[in-house]
Amino acid sequence: MKKLRSSLLLLIASIIWGITFIAQSDAMEHIGPFTFNFARSFIGSVVLLPVIRLFGRAEAGAANDIDKKKARKALLVGGILCGIALFAATGLQQFGISLGSSVGKAGFITSFYIILVPIFGLLLKKRTSAIIWISMLIAVVGLYLLCITEGFSIETSDLLYLGCAVFFAIHILIISVYSPLVNGVALSCMQFAVSAVLNGICMLLLEKPSFSDIFAAYIPLLYAGVLACGIAYTLQIIGQKDLDPTIASVIMCLESVVSVIAGWLILHQQLSGRETAGCVIMLLATILAQLPIGAGGKGKASEQL
């Protein structure tokens, strides 16, 4: 029963994240990318403040004052690094969406981070199973069908999404280092605060935000800030407690599928047969990368790095 409940919670989180691409696209009609990311990051950090209380302080479980100081330092350093990576990833993604690209396409190319994480893990001297390399090759085929037109050209938005996937992969690796040391919700709150500051600076320097424009986009901003940043992240924390990490990863990668369905149902966006094939192949590659194959079959492939 616990596993079923956890699966449902992660599925809800994936649906929320997938639909967030719609909110991102809709907001671009009123405000710039930096303004949108500033607002949603600020809202996300504020929403998570009371949640930290529910999950305990950042240094909860520390045996003494020395351990508490280490936890606080880890929270500060980890929060800053995560915030910088999140700022870069969401910025590239938002600029890609602002160019008018399909939200479904954005979701699938962004999901390429699932393949990049174990590959980047080599820099941390973690071994990668053969199944990951096979998944990588399959994903490249999917990306080719999704991004490269028959004239062998690639859209600017595609390059931005690929850059976004790179920084999301870096973001995940940073979290893997610091999350065991601190409270996860506190780390998330800190990263959103850092991201809000960086986006706020860029917003003031490069854009001309107005309260009227921001208010006009209040619905997508509230969705992205409260649901995507606050509630969905909390559901992920609760859901992964009683669920096998392999199953959890597969469920969460359904975010990319939801983005395609949402784009079709809500924005009436259409993908060509070639792009649809690319989406299917990329989904298969991301799922394959999470299967417990290789390295003795223990744990998910991406954890065996």
Side-chain angles (χ1 to χ4, degrees):
M1 192 64 182
K2 285 185 176 181
K3 289 185 177 181
L4 177 60
R5 182 181 69 94
S6 297
S7 297
L8 290 175
L9 291 178
L10 289 179
L11 179 58
I12 293 172
S14 298
I15 293 174
I16 292 175
W17 287 325
I19 299 176
T20 301
F21 285 101
I22 303 295
Q24 292 174 258
S25 178
D26 184 59
M28 289 301 91
E29 297 180 6
H30 306 284
I31 55 179
F34 288 122
T35 302
F36 176 79
N37 283 335
F38 161 74
R40 74 167 176 177
S41 295
F42 177 77
I43 294 172
S45 63
V46 172
V47 168
L48 285 176
L49 282 175
V51 180
I52 296 176
R53 284 294 198 183
L54 296 178
F55 286 86
R57 295 176 59 82
E59 65 272 13
N64 50 55
D65 291 338
I66 295 179
D67 290 337
K68 289 181 180 179
K69 289 181 179 179
K70 289 181 178 180
R72 293 193 188 102
K73 182 179 179 180
L75 176 62
L76 178 62
V77 176
I80 291 175
L81 293 177
C82 285
I84 293 174
L86 190 65
F87 161 75
T90 56
L92 289 170
Q93 184 182 71
Q94 199 61 35
F95 271 100
I97 292 176
S98 70
L99 295 178
S101 174
S102 161
V103 296
K105 197 173 184 181
F108 269 94
I109 299 179
T110 298
S111 70
F112 194 55
Y113 72 80
I114 300 177
I115 308 296
L116 293 177
V117 168
I119 295 176
F120 286 177
L122 293 174
L123 299 176
L124 300 177
K125 298 181 179 180
K126 296 181 179 180
R127 60 194 180 93
T128 301
S129 64
I131 198 68
I132 295 299
W133 298 111
I134 295 175
S135 300
M136 177 66 175
L137 293 176
I138 295 175
V140 168
V141 173
L143 277 173
Y144 175 82
L145 294 176
L146 187 60
C147 304
I148 307 298
T149 65
E150 294 182 1
F152 291 96
S153 65
I154 187 169
E155 297 179 6
T156 301
S157 59
D158 297 336
L159 293 175
L160 292 174
Y161 295 142
L162 285 173
C164 162
V166 169
F167 279 103
F168 268 132
I170 294 173
H171 177 253
I172 291 171
L173 290 175
I174 295 174
I175 288 180
S176 70
V177 173
Y178 287 96
S179 61
L181 307 177
V182 299
N183 176 278
V185 182
L187 181 62
S188 180
C189 182
M190 175 70 76
Q191 73 173 357
F192 286 132
V194 172
S195 177
V197 171
L198 294 176
N199 277 294
I201 293 174
C202 293
M203 174 188 69
L204 295 176
L205 293 176
L206 303 175
E207 297 176 353
K208 297 179 180 180
S210 68
F211 286 108
S212 60
D213 290 338
I214 294 176
F215 182 76
Y218 78 94
I219 293 180
L221 283 175
L222 287 176
Y223 183 93
V226 177
L227 292 178
C229 294
I231 295 178
Y233 183 82
T234 304
L235 290 178
Q236 180 187 3
I237 294 176
I238 298 174
Q240 285 193 250
K241 284 186 177 181
D242 302 306
L243 202 62
D244 180 87
T246 301
I247 300 174
S249 297
V250 172
I251 294 173
M252 286 188 289
C253 84
L254 292 176
E255 167 193 357
S256 57
V257 179
V258 174
S259 69
V260 172
I261 297 174
W264 172 57
L265 291 176
I266 301 175
L267 298 182
H268 307 293
Q269 294 180 341
Q270 298 291 332
L271 291 176
S272 66
R274 181 188 181 92
E275 290 173 329
T276 301
C279 287
V280 173
I281 292 174
M282 280 199 68
L283 178 60
L284 292 176
T286 55
I287 293 177
L288 181 62
Q290 303 302 314
L291 296 180
I293 303 175
K298 298 179 181 179
K300 67 179 179 181
S302 60
E303 284 186 335
Q304 296 167 3
L305 299 179

